[in-house]
């Protein structure tokens, strides 16, 4: 990371004093318009970001970590955020958490705001869409940043990426369903062409191809509502299907609900596997088989990796994938399991 531009750099670039730059940043009426424009031009050229925290508390380290999550309504991401936040807190760091709600404009806004308020580091589960300018602003600001669970910026030499081995999870789920006698297996959920969808689906595709089985794919927003709709669609339009691997547990739980409405016995008439293994999987009826990602452990690991970077100078590897495990329950083993 390049050195973060300082107020002195701006002053030299604009040919004015440090105090003049400070007055401009504070929107003081004492500075004439032409000087204000010169300072603004220097700020833009250098990529300088006004640090409000430093302005209000000179010489103090912020001790703030910016934790930006694409969808905090999803229990998977909520558990990750809680685990990471508690790990940072145990080392004396406070966490500013933002939910972008899958909106790239909100993501850009909260990144800018957190830079302005002087966070020490970022951990970001990014929203897809928009452009990479928010990460370019992070680069100019020189703030250590990890991408987790999703990757938006390909420059892992600047923004290391950590996630799970989703491909292996898809393989294990598909092999398990084939071992139970299923051949007509669908993959349900996930928006088409999103990297996270392709990765979770890749293991399913490879095992289906290796066994000369035709894939059936239903793309859509990974929600309970979509899962319920797919259950109804399968009964009406795809009666031959025997099982489904779902992009997420939310989709799988929605399918459980839909099949229950239709009188279809999951685990006997149809088999379902979720992805993530949130707590509700072990509480639903029938209990849901799922690819366990151990989100709480992942949150601790991600926070510890960031702390090692900003405290000890030990940078995380460019890319790291943590192992996953298939948890087999009633939705694939039968109601007596």
């Amino acid at each position: 990371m390049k050195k973060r531009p300082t107020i002195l750099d701006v002053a030299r670039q604009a040919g004015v004093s440090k105090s003049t730059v400070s007055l401009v940043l504070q929107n003081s009426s004492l500075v004439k318009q032409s000087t204000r424009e010169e300072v603004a031009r220097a700020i833009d050229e250098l990529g300088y970001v006004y640090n409000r925290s430093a302005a209000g508390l000179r010489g103090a380290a912020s001790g703030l970590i910016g934790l930006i999550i694409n969808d905090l309504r999803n229990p998977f991401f909520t558990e990750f955020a809680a685990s990471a936040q508690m790990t940072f807190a145990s080392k004396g760091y406070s966490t500013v958490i933002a939910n972008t709600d899958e909106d790239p404009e909100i993501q850009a806004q909260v990144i800018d705001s957190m830079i302005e308020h002087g966070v020490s580091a970022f951990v970001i589960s990014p929203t897809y869409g928009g452009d990479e300018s928010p990460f370019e602003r992070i680069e100019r600001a020189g703030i250590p940043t990890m991408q987790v669970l999703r990757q938006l910026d390909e420059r892992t030499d600047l923004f290391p990426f950590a996630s799970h081995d989703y491909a292996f999870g898809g393989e294990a789920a598909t092999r398990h369903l084939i071992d139970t006698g299923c051949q007509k297996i669908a993959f349900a959920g996930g928006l088409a062409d999103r990297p996270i969808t392709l990765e979770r689906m890749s293991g399913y595709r490879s095992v289906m191809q290796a066994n000369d089985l035709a894939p059936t794919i239903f793309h859509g927003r990974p929600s309970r509502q979509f899962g319920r709709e797919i259950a109804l669609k399968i009964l009406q339009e795809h009666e031959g299907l025997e099982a489904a691997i779902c992009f997420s547990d939310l989709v799988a739980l929605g399918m459980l609900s839909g099949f229950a409405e239709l009188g279809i016995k999951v685990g006997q008439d149809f088999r379902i596997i979720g992805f993530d293994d949130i707590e509700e999987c072990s509480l639903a009826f029938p209990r849901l088989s799922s690819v366990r990602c151990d989100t709480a452990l992942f949150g601790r690991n991600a926070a510890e990796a960031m702390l090692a970077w900003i405290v000890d100078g030990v940078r995380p590897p460019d890319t790291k994938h943590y192992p996953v495990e298939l948890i087999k329950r009633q939705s694939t083993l039968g109601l007596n399991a």
Side-chain angles (χ1 to χ4, degrees):
M1 291 269 181
K2 293 181 291 186
K3 179 178 177 290
R4 187 185 306 194
T6 68
I7 193 171
L8 288 173
D9 296 324
V10 175
R12 281 192 290 266
Q13 184 83 353
V16 299
S17 68
K18 176 184 173 183
S19 60
T20 298
V21 176
S22 295
L23 289 172
V24 172
L25 292 172
Q26 295 165 30
N27 202 27
S28 171
S29 61
L30 298 175
V31 183
K32 62 183 181 180
Q33 184 61 30
S34 60
T35 302
R36 190 184 303 276
E37 290 172 358
E38 285 295 328
V39 172
R41 188 176 300 112
I43 287 172
D44 185 61
E45 291 172 354
L46 293 172
Y48 173 77
V49 178
Y50 180 40
N51 187 329
R52 293 183 190 273
S53 294
L57 190 61
R58 297 295 178 189
S62 72
L64 288 175
I65 305 295
L67 182 57
I68 301 176
I69 306 297
N70 56 290
D71 183 9
L72 276 175
R73 292 188 181 92
N74 187 326
F76 174 74
F77 293 107
T78 305
E79 185 174 5
F80 161 74
S83 177
Q85 183 268 323
M86 292 300 293
T87 303
F88 285 126
S90 71
K91 301 298 182 181
Y93 282 79
S94 298
T95 307
V96 183
I97 302 177
N99 174 40
T100 61
D101 202 31
E102 302 289 9
D103 187 328
E105 291 186 6
I106 294 177
Q107 177 172 269
Q109 182 264 317
V110 297
I111 286 175
D112 284 349
S113 179
M114 288 185 184
I115 292 174
E116 192 171 297
H117 284 82
V119 294
S120 301
F122 279 112
V123 177
I124 304 177
S125 177
T127 291
Y128 294 121
D131 56 34
E132 294 182 356
S133 59
F135 279 86
E136 292 170 0
R137 289 192 286 276
I138 291 173
E139 180 187 4
R140 290 199 299 269
I143 300 174
T145 299
M146 285 181 61
Q147 301 177 89
V148 293
L149 302 171
R150 292 170 158 199
Q151 184 176 357
L152 182 63
D153 195 299
E154 298 294 328
R155 298 173 297 171
T156 55
D157 58 325
L158 292 177
F159 308 111
F161 173 60
S163 187
H164 300 286
D165 190 351
Y166 294 135
F168 175 81
E171 292 174 3
T174 309
R175 284 195 297 266
H176 172 54
L177 290 173
I178 292 173
D179 289 343
T180 66
C182 296
Q183 292 192 320
K184 296 181 179 179
I185 304 167
F187 187 94
L191 298 178
D193 299 325
R194 292 285 175 85
I196 185 67
T197 303
L198 297 175
E199 189 174 0
R200 288 195 169 194
M201 200 166 55
S202 63
Y204 159 78
R205 281 188 175 277
S206 65
V207 174
M208 293 292 281
Q209 182 178 6
N211 286 273
D212 295 320
L213 301 175
T216 301
I217 297 170
F218 303 103
H219 286 300
R221 188 174 177 86
S223 64
R224 292 174 190 261
Q225 180 179 344
F226 176 76
R228 179 181 176 277
E229 291 170 355
I230 288 301
L232 302 177
K233 184 173 183 176
I234 286 173
L235 185 65
Q236 295 168 359
E237 303 176 19
H238 301 271
E239 290 187 31
L241 283 178
E242 301 167 290
I245 298 167
C246 297
F247 173 87
S248 70
D249 290 331
L250 295 185
V251 175
L253 291 165
M255 290 188 74
L256 283 182
S257 176
F259 281 129
E261 289 182 43
L262 300 169
I264 304 296
K265 295 181 179 179
V266 173
Q268 178 178 313
D269 304 326
F270 195 90
R271 290 177 168 82
I272 299 175
I273 298 179
F275 227 112
D276 297 331
D277 197 35
I278 63 176
E279 183 181 10
E280 194 172 345
C281 293
S282 62
L283 303 175
F285 182 81
R287 293 189 295 277
L288 182 64
S289 296
S290 184
V291 177
R292 176 177 291 170
C293 298
D294 201 342
T295 314
L297 177 60
F298 179 81
R300 291 195 297 273
N301 288 337
E304 288 170 356
M306 176 53 74
L307 288 167
W309 190 359
I310 63 178
V311 175
D312 302 320
V314 180
R315 186 185 180 281
D318 287 357
T319 303
K320 184 173 180 63
H321 289 90
Y322 291 88
V324 299
E325 177 187 8
L326 176 63
I327 305 300
K328 303 170 186 176
R329 299 190 180 98
Q330 292 174 322
S331 67
T332 57
L333 298 176
L335 300 181
N336 294 324

